[in-house]
Amino acid sequence: MRSQMEKAELFRALHARPGAFIIPNPWDAGTAKLLAAMGFEALATTSLGLANTLGSATVSLDAIIENCRAIAEATDLPVNADLENCGADDPKTAANAITRAAEAGVVGGSIEDFTGDPRKPIYDFSLAVERVQAAVEAARALSFPFTLTARAENFLHGRKDIDDTIKRLQAFEAAGADVLYSPGLYDIDTIRTVVSSVGKPFNLVMGFADPTLTVPQLSDAGVKRISVGGAMERYALAAFLKCAREMKERGAFTYVRDMAPIGEIRAAFR
Protein backbone atom coordinates (compact mmCIF):
# COMPACT_ATOMS: atom_id res chain seq x y z
CA MET A 1 0.00 0.00 0.00
CA ARG A 2 1.16 3.53 -0.74
CA SER A 3 1.86 5.87 2.14
CA GLN A 4 -0.34 8.91 2.64
CA MET A 5 2.49 11.10 1.38
CA GLU A 6 2.81 9.01 -1.77
CA LYS A 7 -0.95 9.23 -2.35
CA ALA A 8 -0.88 12.99 -1.80
CA GLU A 9 1.95 13.50 -4.27
CA LEU A 10 0.25 11.28 -6.84
CA PHE A 11 -2.98 13.26 -6.45
CA ARG A 12 -1.13 16.55 -6.97
CA ALA A 13 0.54 15.10 -10.07
CA LEU A 14 -2.83 14.19 -11.59
CA HIS A 15 -3.85 17.86 -11.34
CA ALA A 16 -0.57 19.03 -12.89
CA ARG A 17 -0.41 16.82 -15.97
CA PRO A 18 -2.03 17.81 -19.29
CA GLY A 19 -5.69 17.05 -19.91
CA ALA A 20 -8.62 16.10 -17.71
CA PHE A 21 -8.93 13.01 -15.53
CA ILE A 22 -11.99 11.23 -14.15
CA ILE A 23 -12.35 10.84 -10.39
CA PRO A 24 -15.38 8.58 -9.80
CA ASN A 25 -17.35 8.54 -6.54
CA PRO A 26 -17.67 5.24 -4.66
CA TRP A 27 -19.90 5.19 -1.60
CA ASP A 28 -18.33 2.33 0.35
CA ALA A 29 -15.28 0.07 0.46
CA GLY A 30 -16.74 -2.40 -2.02
CA THR A 31 -17.44 0.12 -4.75
CA ALA A 32 -14.02 1.70 -4.09
CA LYS A 33 -12.33 -1.65 -4.70
CA LEU A 34 -14.31 -2.25 -7.87
CA LEU A 35 -13.31 1.14 -9.29
CA ALA A 36 -9.67 0.58 -8.34
CA ALA A 37 -9.73 -2.81 -10.08
CA MET A 38 -10.96 -1.08 -13.24
CA GLY A 39 -7.90 1.14 -13.30
CA PHE A 40 -9.12 4.52 -12.12
CA GLU A 41 -6.34 6.67 -10.69
CA ALA A 42 -8.12 8.43 -7.82
CA LEU A 43 -11.44 8.32 -5.99
CA ALA A 44 -13.77 10.83 -4.34
CA THR A 45 -16.37 10.24 -1.66
CA THR A 46 -19.99 11.31 -2.07
CA SER A 47 -22.01 12.60 0.85
CA LEU A 48 -25.24 12.12 -1.12
CA GLY A 49 -24.37 8.52 -1.89
CA LEU A 50 -23.52 7.94 1.75
CA ALA A 51 -26.77 9.52 2.95
CA ASN A 52 -28.75 7.28 0.60
CA THR A 53 -27.05 4.14 1.90
CA LEU A 54 -27.92 5.23 5.44
CA GLY A 55 -31.55 5.86 4.49
CA SER A 56 -31.30 9.53 5.38
CA ALA A 57 -31.76 12.86 3.63
CA THR A 58 -28.75 14.26 5.47
CA VAL A 59 -25.51 12.91 6.88
CA SER A 60 -23.42 13.98 9.86
CA LEU A 61 -19.78 15.00 9.69
CA ASP A 62 -18.90 12.03 11.92
CA ALA A 63 -20.51 9.65 9.40
CA ILE A 64 -18.72 11.39 6.53
CA ILE A 65 -15.35 10.99 8.26
CA GLU A 66 -15.92 7.30 8.93
CA ASN A 67 -16.94 6.78 5.31
CA CYS A 68 -13.73 8.56 4.27
CA ARG A 69 -11.75 6.17 6.44
CA ALA A 70 -13.41 3.08 4.96
CA ILE A 71 -12.85 4.22 1.38
CA ALA A 72 -9.28 5.44 1.98
CA GLU A 73 -8.35 2.11 3.56
CA ALA A 74 -9.97 0.03 0.82
CA THR A 75 -7.39 0.73 -1.90
CA ASP A 76 -4.03 2.42 -2.38
CA LEU A 77 -5.55 5.18 -4.53
CA PRO A 78 -5.65 8.84 -3.47
CA VAL A 79 -9.06 9.80 -2.08
CA ASN A 80 -10.73 13.21 -2.08
CA ALA A 81 -13.39 13.85 0.56
CA ASP A 82 -16.77 15.47 0.04
CA LEU A 83 -17.00 17.26 3.40
CA GLU A 84 -20.09 19.37 2.59
CA ASN A 85 -19.88 22.59 4.66
CA CYS A 86 -17.39 20.86 7.01
CA GLY A 87 -20.05 20.56 9.69
CA ALA A 88 -20.00 24.13 11.00
CA ASP A 89 -20.60 27.77 10.13
CA ASP A 90 -17.66 29.11 12.13
CA PRO A 91 -14.48 29.13 10.00
CA LYS A 92 -12.12 27.64 12.61
CA THR A 93 -14.58 24.94 13.60
CA ALA A 94 -15.22 24.07 9.95
CA ALA A 95 -11.49 23.93 9.26
CA ASN A 96 -11.14 21.18 11.87
CA ALA A 97 -12.94 18.89 9.42
CA ILE A 98 -9.92 19.13 7.13
CA THR A 99 -7.67 17.85 9.90
CA ARG A 100 -10.11 15.06 10.75
CA ALA A 101 -10.39 14.00 7.12
CA ALA A 102 -6.61 13.87 6.79
CA GLU A 103 -6.41 11.73 9.92
CA ALA A 104 -8.95 9.38 8.29
CA GLY A 105 -6.54 8.83 5.39
CA VAL A 106 -7.73 11.07 2.57
CA VAL A 107 -5.33 13.38 0.75
CA GLY A 108 -7.81 16.00 -0.46
CA GLY A 109 -11.14 17.44 0.52
CA SER A 110 -13.64 20.18 -0.09
CA ILE A 111 -15.28 23.02 1.75
CA GLU A 112 -18.40 24.58 0.27
CA ASP A 113 -20.44 27.75 0.72
CA PHE A 114 -23.79 25.93 1.07
CA THR A 115 -25.05 26.52 4.60
CA GLY A 116 -27.31 23.50 4.84
CA ASP A 117 -30.24 25.83 5.56
CA PRO A 118 -32.69 25.95 2.61
CA ARG A 119 -34.02 29.30 3.87
CA LYS A 120 -30.59 30.88 3.40
CA PRO A 121 -28.61 28.36 1.41
CA ILE A 122 -25.43 30.32 0.60
CA TYR A 123 -23.04 31.89 3.09
CA ASP A 124 -22.49 35.62 2.75
CA PHE A 125 -19.48 36.35 0.59
CA SER A 126 -17.12 37.51 3.34
CA LEU A 127 -17.90 34.55 5.60
CA ALA A 128 -17.53 32.13 2.70
CA VAL A 129 -14.06 33.49 1.99
CA GLU A 130 -13.08 33.37 5.68
CA ARG A 131 -14.11 29.72 5.80
CA VAL A 132 -11.91 28.88 2.83
CA GLN A 133 -9.01 30.80 4.36
CA ALA A 134 -9.35 28.80 7.59
CA ALA A 135 -9.52 25.54 5.63
CA VAL A 136 -6.38 26.50 3.70
CA GLU A 137 -4.55 27.16 6.97
CA ALA A 138 -5.61 23.76 8.30
CA ALA A 139 -4.52 22.04 5.10
CA ARG A 140 -1.13 23.76 5.07
CA ALA A 141 -0.51 22.72 8.68
CA LEU A 142 -0.59 19.03 7.71
CA SER A 143 2.55 16.98 7.17
CA PHE A 144 1.71 16.23 3.54
CA PRO A 145 0.38 18.29 0.59
CA PHE A 146 -3.37 18.13 1.14
CA THR A 147 -5.30 19.24 -1.97
CA LEU A 148 -8.04 21.63 -0.86
CA THR A 149 -11.07 22.16 -3.08
CA ALA A 150 -13.32 25.21 -2.60
CA ARG A 151 -16.87 24.96 -3.89
CA ALA A 152 -19.27 27.73 -4.94
CA GLU A 153 -22.75 26.22 -4.68
CA ASN A 154 -24.94 28.95 -6.22
CA PHE A 155 -26.15 26.95 -9.21
CA LEU A 156 -27.35 24.02 -7.08
CA HIS A 157 -29.54 26.23 -4.92
CA GLY A 158 -31.51 28.45 -7.25
CA ARG A 159 -28.91 31.20 -7.62
CA LYS A 160 -27.83 30.96 -11.24
CA ASP A 161 -25.71 34.08 -10.91
CA ILE A 162 -22.60 33.46 -12.95
CA ASP A 163 -20.99 36.77 -11.96
CA ASP A 164 -21.31 36.05 -8.24
CA THR A 165 -20.15 32.48 -8.78
CA ILE A 166 -17.02 33.66 -10.59
CA LYS A 167 -16.42 36.31 -7.92
CA ARG A 168 -16.54 33.62 -5.24
CA LEU A 169 -14.29 31.20 -7.11
CA GLN A 170 -11.72 33.93 -7.73
CA ALA A 171 -11.79 34.90 -4.05
CA PHE A 172 -11.40 31.24 -3.04
CA GLU A 173 -8.43 30.97 -5.38
CA ALA A 174 -6.87 34.10 -3.89
CA ALA A 175 -7.41 32.60 -0.42
CA GLY A 176 -5.25 29.62 -1.38
CA ALA A 177 -7.60 26.88 -2.58
CA ASP A 178 -5.86 24.31 -4.79
CA VAL A 179 -8.92 23.29 -6.83
CA LEU A 180 -12.12 25.17 -7.66
CA TYR A 181 -15.56 23.68 -8.12
CA SER A 182 -19.02 24.99 -8.98
CA PRO A 183 -21.56 22.16 -9.16
CA GLY A 184 -24.63 22.73 -11.30
CA LEU A 185 -22.93 24.12 -14.41
CA TYR A 186 -24.68 22.46 -17.34
CA ASP A 187 -23.70 23.59 -20.83
CA ILE A 188 -20.23 23.72 -22.33
CA ASP A 189 -20.28 27.48 -22.95
CA THR A 190 -21.03 28.27 -19.30
CA ILE A 191 -18.44 25.73 -18.19
CA ARG A 192 -15.82 27.31 -20.45
CA THR A 193 -16.67 30.81 -19.19
CA VAL A 194 -16.29 29.83 -15.54
CA VAL A 195 -13.16 27.74 -16.04
CA SER A 196 -11.43 30.49 -18.01
CA SER A 197 -12.06 32.96 -15.18
CA VAL A 198 -9.77 31.14 -12.74
CA GLY A 199 -6.19 29.96 -12.77
CA LYS A 200 -6.37 26.86 -10.57
CA PRO A 201 -7.56 23.39 -11.66
CA PHE A 202 -11.34 23.15 -11.99
CA ASN A 203 -13.51 20.19 -10.97
CA LEU A 204 -16.71 19.58 -12.95
CA VAL A 205 -19.37 17.23 -11.61
CA MET A 206 -21.17 15.36 -14.39
CA GLY A 207 -24.16 14.52 -12.19
CA PHE A 208 -25.60 17.94 -13.04
CA ALA A 209 -23.98 18.73 -16.41
CA ASP A 210 -25.08 17.95 -19.97
CA PRO A 211 -24.68 14.14 -20.09
CA THR A 212 -23.67 14.22 -23.75
CA LEU A 213 -20.40 15.97 -22.89
CA THR A 214 -17.23 13.88 -23.19
CA VAL A 215 -13.83 13.94 -21.53
CA PRO A 216 -12.14 15.41 -24.65
CA GLN A 217 -14.73 18.21 -24.83
CA LEU A 218 -14.37 19.05 -21.16
CA SER A 219 -10.59 18.89 -21.35
CA ASP A 220 -10.68 21.26 -24.33
CA ALA A 221 -12.83 23.62 -22.23
CA GLY A 222 -10.14 23.66 -19.55
CA VAL A 223 -11.68 21.28 -17.00
CA LYS A 224 -9.02 19.35 -15.09
CA ARG A 225 -10.97 16.95 -12.85
CA ILE A 226 -14.28 15.26 -13.66
CA SER A 227 -16.34 13.75 -10.85
CA VAL A 228 -19.87 12.32 -10.85
CA GLY A 229 -21.04 13.02 -7.29
CA GLY A 230 -23.89 10.73 -6.27
CA ALA A 231 -24.78 9.82 -9.87
CA MET A 232 -23.40 6.28 -9.84
CA GLU A 233 -25.03 5.48 -6.51
CA ARG A 234 -28.35 6.86 -7.76
CA TYR A 235 -27.98 4.79 -10.94
CA ALA A 236 -27.42 1.72 -8.75
CA LEU A 237 -30.57 2.60 -6.81
CA ALA A 238 -32.47 2.91 -10.09
CA ALA A 239 -31.43 -0.64 -10.96
CA PHE A 240 -32.41 -1.81 -7.47
CA LEU A 241 -35.86 -0.24 -7.81
CA LYS A 242 -36.29 -1.74 -11.28
CA CYS A 243 -35.60 -5.20 -9.85
CA ALA A 244 -37.99 -4.63 -6.96
CA ARG A 245 -40.78 -3.37 -9.25
CA GLU A 246 -40.38 -6.39 -11.53
CA MET A 247 -40.86 -8.73 -8.57
CA LYS A 248 -43.68 -6.76 -6.96
CA GLU A 249 -45.66 -5.86 -10.06
CA ARG A 250 -44.98 -8.81 -12.37
CA GLY A 251 -43.83 -11.60 -10.08
CA ALA A 252 -40.82 -11.99 -12.38
CA PHE A 253 -37.07 -12.21 -11.94
CA THR A 254 -35.56 -11.60 -15.37
CA TYR A 255 -33.19 -9.04 -13.87
CA VAL A 256 -30.94 -11.87 -12.69
CA ARG A 257 -29.67 -12.14 -16.28
CA ASP A 258 -27.88 -8.81 -15.80
CA MET A 259 -26.23 -9.47 -12.45
CA ALA A 260 -22.59 -8.46 -12.08
CA PRO A 261 -20.37 -11.53 -12.59
CA ILE A 262 -19.47 -12.91 -9.18
CA GLY A 263 -15.97 -13.77 -10.41
CA GLU A 264 -15.27 -10.14 -11.34
CA ILE A 265 -16.51 -8.96 -7.95
CA ARG A 266 -14.49 -11.53 -5.99
CA ALA A 267 -11.37 -10.72 -8.00
CA ALA A 268 -11.69 -7.04 -7.05
CA PHE A 269 -12.31 -7.89 -3.40
CA ARG A 270 -9.30 -10.19 -2.93
Side-chain angles (χ1 to χ4, degrees), residues 240-254:
F240 177 88
L241 290 170
K242 182 179 179 181
C243 298
R245 290 190 182 105
E246 182 180 8
M247 291 188 292
K248 184 70 170 63
E249 297 170 7
R250 295 171 47 203
F253 309 89
T254 63

Side-chain angles (χ1 to χ4, degrees), residues 69-133:
R69 191 184 312 279
I71 290 174
E73 291 177 352
T75 80
D76 67 352
L77 296 182
V79 175
N80 185 79
D82 173 4
L83 299 173
E84 296 193 334
N85 76 336
C86 290
D89 300 325
D90 173 69
K92 289 185 178 180
T93 306
N96 187 53
I98 303 299
T99 306
R100 292 184 63 191
E103 291 171 348
V106 305
V107 296
S110 60
I111 183 168
E112 61 190 46
D113 61 4
F114 173 52
T115 66
D117 181 355
R119 295 168 299 180
K120 187 179 180 182
I122 305 297
Y123 288 112
D124 291 339
F125 177 80
S126 59
L127 178 56
V129 175
E130 288 176 20
R131 286 163 44 79
V132 173
Q133 289 172 333

